[in-house]
Amino acid sequence: MSVDQATVRRIAHLARIAVTDEQVPHLQGEINAILSFVEALGAVDVEGVEPMTSVIPMKLPMRADVVTDGEIGRLVLANAPLAEDDFFLVPKIIE
Amino acid sequence: MDEVLTDPTALTLAEARDALAQKKLSSLELTQAYLAAMERGRGLNAFIVETPEQALGMARASDERLAKGEGGRLEGLPIGVKDLYATKGVHTQACSHILDHFKPTYESTVTAQLWRDGAVMLGKLNMDEFAMGSSNETSYYGPVASPWLPPNWSVEKARAALSSDKRGLLVPGGSSGGSASAVSARLCVAATASDTGGSIRQPAAFTGTCGIKPTYGRCSRYGMVAFASSLDQAGPIARTMRDAAIMLRSMAGHDPKDSTCYDAPVPDYEAAVGRSVKGLKIGVPREYRLDGMNAEIEKLWGQGVEWLRAAGATIVDISLPNTRHALPAYYIVAPAEASSNLARYDGVRYGLREPGKDIAELYGKTRAAGFGDEVRRRVMIGTYVLSAGYYDAYYVRAQKIRTLIKRDFEIVFADGVDAILTPATPSAAFGIGEKGSADPVEMYLNDVFTVTVNMAGLPGLVTPAGRSAEGLPLGLQLIGRPFDEETLFSLGEVIEQSAGRTALPQAWWA
């Protein structure tokens, strides 16, 4: 399977990575190189095989449903590129 | 003793620990010696951040504890930390531009345990961006040079390359290239590293150092920048098998903050170093004998078999029939998980932000500017294989193949095989700028022997085993049963001793 340039643009949009028109053919080549590398997997017989969900058989640990932390708004915002009071700042979303 | 007085950086971790305990040396002296070595070694670009004030403060506190006889297992020993570990208040970017200026407000569990046991932090180590790479060339902070001289290069030529673009100097491997280079160049006594497809083991093999990726779940992933969560594991790179064992004991252990972290006591791995391997059954998988395999690597592998046999192990041929599917399946699973994990870098909560007229443009421009080529490539592949209409054909199929790969190992272990011996890498280290520029897959092939281990969640260890005809280090890999790192340390020690301790390179860079 290989991707065309429209698909490359669609993937970039889904991944929220802006790409320029000049980058598209190059990205197409790279993605197709990787897709051709993984193509042989299509021939493997996986009939009746369960997809892996946990590499080490382990029960998901449970804990009491209680608050274990909080009141750390200052720490949460400490690395924000733009913040005001207790909020992250973003461009206006609703007109 | 003379070594202690003239150059304490020549001591292994175990030797330095003993010298500190015997008061032949203080942690302050040892730490100062390493800080000086780091300064002289800046050209290698192994450390991207140095934390001398923190290091000296920690060393003084260690000396006080040692004087009172209260020292921990790693008391006063100066280590380097891969930039992927969250270190409170200290640069943590996984060597990506998108995490610019990020200083965590918390500490990763692995590093917290190292400080708990008395280790001293020297600084943060270079790596491939988000651990995606096999040569440390994808770092936003530039490539790392290996301290090993390229074959037939003069010191003058190497020094000239070091102060320009480093092309032609050897890569230290990746993604833990800063860790491997720094340990091999004696800029730190040992280092933390991490391994998603071979990122501890391939750099260890390239630099004549020891590395272990423990069983998935052995170390907590809390505070490690996530790449592919079902494959990522922490582990050390160190100068000897014993040093790696000492480091792993402190790094491993249960952590309620990581639900995939295994709840079982951590053994004294150092006690397994030197333990007899007599009667152990070692599997040699025929599928690892690749067409067109490098003759030196094949010979080294045979030599490893002979060393283990001479130490009393039984050697058996085994088959792991799904081996050839592991690398392609990895290049679906790992990018898929990466695309999901890296969705958090949006320019809003931390890191780089490129302004946009609306939120969508802000996301798109920030991520375009913040991710390097390799990361962008993998995020896009991952997005594609998870997208509607392709999820079953790619992602679910790859996860089924992963089940088959793990089953191969389970069958062999059920037959009584204690560990598996394989090559670590398809070749010795290559040059900076030499690989992968035209075709990304060329670089991916570096992990052909190591990636199966991550896919199956098993422990894998690399030990130096010899030199190529050109004098470069080569390693062998041992793969173990889940949570049986001890057997790997015992076997690794046999190979390390049989091969003879690799003399680390002279400090031509200083």
Side-chain angles (χ1 to χ4, degrees), chain A residues 38 41, chain B residues 325-335 398 401-402 405 455:
Chain A
V38 305
L41 296 179
Chain B
H325 305 314
L327 196 59
Y330 174 86
Y331 275 97
I332 293 175
V333 174
I401 290 167
R402 205 174 162 189
I405 292 162
M455 293 297 270

Side-chain angles (χ1 to χ4, degrees), chain A residues 1-3 7-8 10-12 14-19 23 27 30-31 33-35 37-38 41-46 49-52 54-58 60-61 75-76 78-82 88-93, chain B residues 101-103 105 215-216 259-262 325 327-329 332 347-351 353 356 358-359 362-364 367-368 376-377 379-381 383-384 390 394 397 399-404 406 439 441 444 455-457 483:
Chain A
M1 218 174 314
S2 63
V3 295
T7 309
V8 172
R10 189 175 61 86
I11 300 169
L14 287 173
R16 300 293 184 271
I17 299 175
V19 293
Q23 287 171 327
L27 286 167
E30 289 174 355
I31 291 172
I34 298 168
L35 290 178
F37 176 60
V38 305
L41 296 179
V44 180
D45 181 8
V46 292
V49 179
E50 282 294 306
M52 178 171 286
S54 171
V55 72
I56 296 295
M58 244 172 60
L60 192 65
L75 295 182
V76 171
N79 280 288
L82 268 179
F88 295 109
L89 286 190
V90 293
K92 195 170 174 185
I93 291 170
Chain B
H101 309 300
F102 181 63
K103 289 197 168 78
T105 55
T215 313
Y216 184 79
S259 66
T260 63
C261 190
Y262 191 63
H325 305 314
L327 196 59
I332 293 175
V348 173
R349 291 161 298 159
Y350 37 74
R353 173 177 180 128
D358 54 28
I359 191 82
L362 182 152
Y363 290 158
R367 290 164 64 82
R376 179 181 58 195
R377 187 147 56 221
V379 167
M380 288 184 71
I381 278 284
T383 302
Y384 179 65
Y390 299 97
Y394 284 114
R397 174 167 281 267
Q399 290 289 37
K400 288 181 180 174
I401 290 167
R402 205 174 162 189
T403 300
L404 293 176
K406 185 168 157 57
D439 178 4
V441 174
Y444 299 171
M455 293 297 270
F483 301 105

Side-chain angles (χ1 to χ4, degrees), chain B residues 7 124 147 223 310 321 387:
Chain B
D7 181 13
K124 301 300 283 285
S387 65

Side-chain angles (χ1 to χ4, degrees), chain B residues 276-282 305-315 418 491 494 498:
Chain B
S276 169
V277 302
K278 217 174 154 115
L280 289 180
K281 202 164 157 186
I282 309 303
V305 166
E306 288 316 311
W307 284 330
L308 293 181
R309 204 196 306 271
T314 309
I315 311 297
D418 294 292
L491 290 162
V494 169
S498 306

Side-chain angles (χ1 to χ4, degrees), chain B residues 56 80 129 177 257 330 333 357 387 389 412 451 470:
Chain B
L56 294 171
E129 183 183 5
K257 293 200 198 89
Y330 174 86
V333 174
K357 63 180 183 325
S387 65
V412 164
V451 80
E470 293 183 311

Side-chain angles (χ1 to χ4, degrees), chain B residues 442-458:
Chain B
E442 185 188 20
M443 190 65 85
Y444 299 171
L445 295 175
N446 263 289
D447 292 336
V448 67
F449 298 125
T450 49
V451 80
T452 51
V453 174
N454 302 77
M455 293 297 270
L458 301 171

